[in-house]
Amino acid sequence: MRSRQAAALLTVAALALSGSACGVKSSKKDDPAVSGAAAAAAEPLDPNTKVTISVGCQPPKTAKEFRADWDADVQAFQAKYPNITIDSKDAFPCIVPETFQAKLAGGQMEDVYYVYYTDAQSIIANKQAADITDYAAGVQNVKDVNPLFLQTLKDAEGRLYGLPRKAYTMGLVYNRKLFSAAGLNPDSPPNTWAEVRDAAKKISALGDGVVGYGEYSAANTGGWHFTSLLYGQGGSVTSADGKTAAFNSPEARTVLQNLKDMRWADDSMGTKQGHRWEDLMRLLGSGKLGMMVGAPDVVTEAFNNFGAKSDDLGTTSLPEAKSSLLGGDGYMINPKASPDQIKAAILWLSFHELTVGEGQFNHARNKASGRPVGIPENILWGDNASGTKEKELRQQYATVPPGNFAAYEQGSATIPPKTEPPQAQAVYAVLDTVMSAVLTREDADIDDLLAEAEKKVNAILARTK
């Protein structure tokens, strides 16, 4: 947010927010019924009203410590709000893309359900989330969130349909131990894709199943990472108005040709392809992967669930990036929820996801539990008072060397973030096939692949106009 480009982007976003807010306010002023509903929504939850809400993404029983922390947080919250009962629903992973929409459309979703930013706009368009604008308007923790991250959970009129839990921009995650073994300096990670390619060759030459550079190509993760790489080159997936595909471009050819060269000319990406999210996490956790595109939270996830040693890993900014994909997740509220349930849900989310020193940001507890602390994995607030306080606590309780992530914090600060394309999951599914073809077929024709994918994505976008 510090570069001129980022500042300009934020200014545009702020103007958009301002304009939308003005429109909404004007509409409500002219409609007494709506104004009355807004006023009722702004009223605090009556402490004498008993409310139960089901909440998704409770850690599974196999994650004993995380589950215990969740349950302790629920207990603390319910002690503070004795009229609210949290009915926790566990799942791992929290979202299965293949079943998420069916569960949502079938009315089986929790009152408060977990989402990726990727899904938010289609959920809003399909009216599968409650409009919480008026309920959240007076919540200070929500006001503190960087407007860019709230923007991903708003519709075109600026109405809010969810609250963020995590926000990040993409970088390059790398194994410092493998860098040293390959004769590379782990304190000087790659700044260019030529340097990435050179490092990947040296790391893969270590043998013993070590892969220099890993990439996704299945379960929509290939399209997701293609988008990250394309944004880094300065390209776009769709036109500015989101109505047509824009990725059949020189920038996309550069991305795909580089991957193709690493896979087939350098043999630095391993022979096994078709990776989905958990596959690269397992490789990273087992110490067999040199580099992958990812945000710092990858390190935390690899440590928590895939056996990685956090000290072995580091993150730097995306090489040569002109922009970086903004990612994250959050919660939305079932449109069938009652007004009291929505109020209870916002109280819970504010407490557990948006309070520095509590819930997910209880760094003192995380350190006591032996988890990695000090990784800049969540940039919800930026440089405001909440962000400064969170950074201070993160450094106070740090258990990982801050230097392992200094290149990311310094480099990413100058790279403007860019949001995901419309109909992201459907578009990513198409782009998976492009990534898969390049990584599994030495004779893959990049021009043909992009042209064919362009037709399919244009058809998807045409159906949603």
Side-chain angles (χ1 to χ4, degrees):
M1 306 312 125
R2 299 170 187 80
S3 72
R4 285 195 304 170
Q5 284 178 295
L9 197 155
L10 276 173
T11 301
V12 171
L15 288 172
L17 286 168
S18 175
S20 299
C22 288
V24 170
K25 189 174 181 181
S26 175
S27 173
K28 290 183 174 307
K29 186 178 180 181
D30 296 340
D31 186 340
V34 175
S35 296
E43 289 292 320
L45 178 65
D46 183 345
N48 296 313
T49 299
K50 298 288 187 184
V51 182
T52 297
I53 53 172
S54 57
V55 181
C57 205
Q58 178 193 30
K61 291 179 180 177
T62 50
K64 295 180 181 178
E65 288 188 352
F66 291 98
R67 180 137 177 150
D69 288 349
W70 173 284
D71 291 344
D73 288 340
V74 168
Q75 191 173 12
F77 176 79
Q78 292 181 161
K80 186 175 182 180
Y81 301 101
N83 58 320
I84 300 175
T85 299
I86 302 294
D87 179 16
S88 304
K89 303 294 185 183
D90 72 351
F92 183 81
C94 293
I95 285 181
V96 179
E98 293 86 345
T99 61
F100 177 71
Q101 276 299 330
K103 184 178 177 183
L104 194 58
Q108 301 170 349
M109 199 60 84
E110 299 86 2
D111 297 322
V112 186
Y113 60 92
Y114 175 89
V115 295
Y116 298 138
Y117 286 173
T118 313
D119 297 300
Q121 288 304 311
S122 62
I123 290 172
I124 294 170
N126 292 328
K127 303 185 186 306
Q128 294 168 313
D131 181 344
I132 64 171
T133 311
D134 300 317
Y135 296 90
V139 180
Q140 187 58 50
N141 286 349
V142 177
K143 292 179 180 178
D144 282 353
V145 172
N146 185 326
L148 262 183
F149 306 141
L150 290 176
Q151 186 70 15
T152 64
L153 298 165
K154 292 183 175 182
D155 66 10
E157 297 179 344
R159 305 294 293 178
L160 182 65
Y161 291 83
L163 295 180
R165 187 191 74 104
K166 182 173 287 187
Y168 55 80
T169 56
M170 301 296 258
L172 184 76
V173 178
Y174 65 102
N175 186 312
R176 295 173 56 87
K177 189 174 181 180
L178 289 179
F179 263 59
S180 295
L184 301 162
N185 182 358
D187 293 325
S188 182
N191 288 314
T192 67
W193 282 105
E195 291 175 0
V196 170
R197 188 174 172 182
D198 180 63
K201 282 192 286 189
K202 291 176 179 175
I203 292 169
S204 63
L206 294 171
D208 193 28
V210 170
V211 173
Y213 177 86
E215 193 49 273
Y216 292 126
S217 56
N220 302 358
T221 56
W224 172 48
H225 266 208
F226 171 82
T227 300
S228 298
L229 295 167
L230 181 61
Y231 284 5
Q233 291 293 325
S236 293
V237 173
T238 67
S239 56
D241 60 9
K243 295 182 177 179
T244 57
F247 57 79
N248 190 356
S249 63
E251 292 85 1
R253 290 178 182 81
T254 297
V255 168
L256 295 172
Q257 188 62 55
N258 187 55
L259 290 173
K260 190 176 182 183
D261 289 343
M262 292 173 73
R263 169 69 178 93
W264 299 105
D266 300 346
D267 193 22
S268 62
M269 297 182 67
T271 56
K272 184 173 185 268
Q273 298 300 326
H275 293 307
R276 47 195 297 158
W277 178 80
E278 58 268 28
D279 295 325
L280 290 190
M281 299 304 295
R282 289 194 184 97
L283 269 176
L284 197 66
S286 65
K288 298 292 187 182
L289 180 61
M291 295 173 284
M292 64 177 285
V293 166
D297 70 324
V298 164
V299 175
T300 304
E301 189 65 29
F303 173 84
N304 288 339
N305 295 305
F306 296 92
K309 296 179 180 177
S310 56
D311 285 5
D312 288 347
L313 302 178
T315 309
T316 186
S317 56
L318 196 64
E320 304 176 77
K322 296 179 175 63
S323 64
S324 183
L325 178 63
L326 173 66
D329 54 38
Y331 281 91
M332 301 181 96
I333 299 172
N334 197 312
K336 296 180 180 177
S338 70
D340 286 336
Q341 285 180 308
I342 295 174
K343 292 178 182 179
I346 290 175
L347 286 172
W348 163 254
L349 293 175
S350 177
F351 168 78
H352 195 251
E353 313 300 347
L354 298 176
T355 300
V356 177
E358 300 284 357
Q360 67 160 329
F361 293 108
N362 191 337
H363 295 317
R365 181 175 66 186
N366 291 337
K367 179 178 182 179
S369 299
R371 295 174 203 151
V373 178
I375 300 170
E377 59 179 308
N378 202 342
I379 54 174
L380 274 175
W381 296 292
D383 293 332
N384 64 19
S386 292
T388 300
K389 183 180 177 183
E390 191 278 329
K391 188 173 183 179
E392 289 173 353
L393 288 175
R394 177 163 30 101
Q395 292 176 343
Q396 178 181 346
Y397 295 105
T399 63
V400 298
N404 290 8
F405 306 93
Y408 174 85
E409 285 207 281
Q410 294 165 6
S412 295
T414 64
I415 301 172
K418 190 171 181 175
T419 56
E420 294 185 278
Q423 297 299 317
Q425 291 288 14
V427 171
Y428 291 169
V430 173
L431 296 174
D432 265 2
T433 62
V434 177
M435 293 286 274
S436 177
V438 166
L439 297 175
T440 59
R441 289 168 30 206
E442 189 170 5
D443 63 348
D445 187 309
I446 291 174
D447 288 344
D448 287 349
L449 289 168
L450 288 173
E452 185 62 27
E454 182 183 34
K455 293 177 187 174
K456 294 179 179 177
V457 170
N458 276 333
I460 291 170
L461 297 174
R463 290 196 294 271
T464 56
K465 287 179 181 176

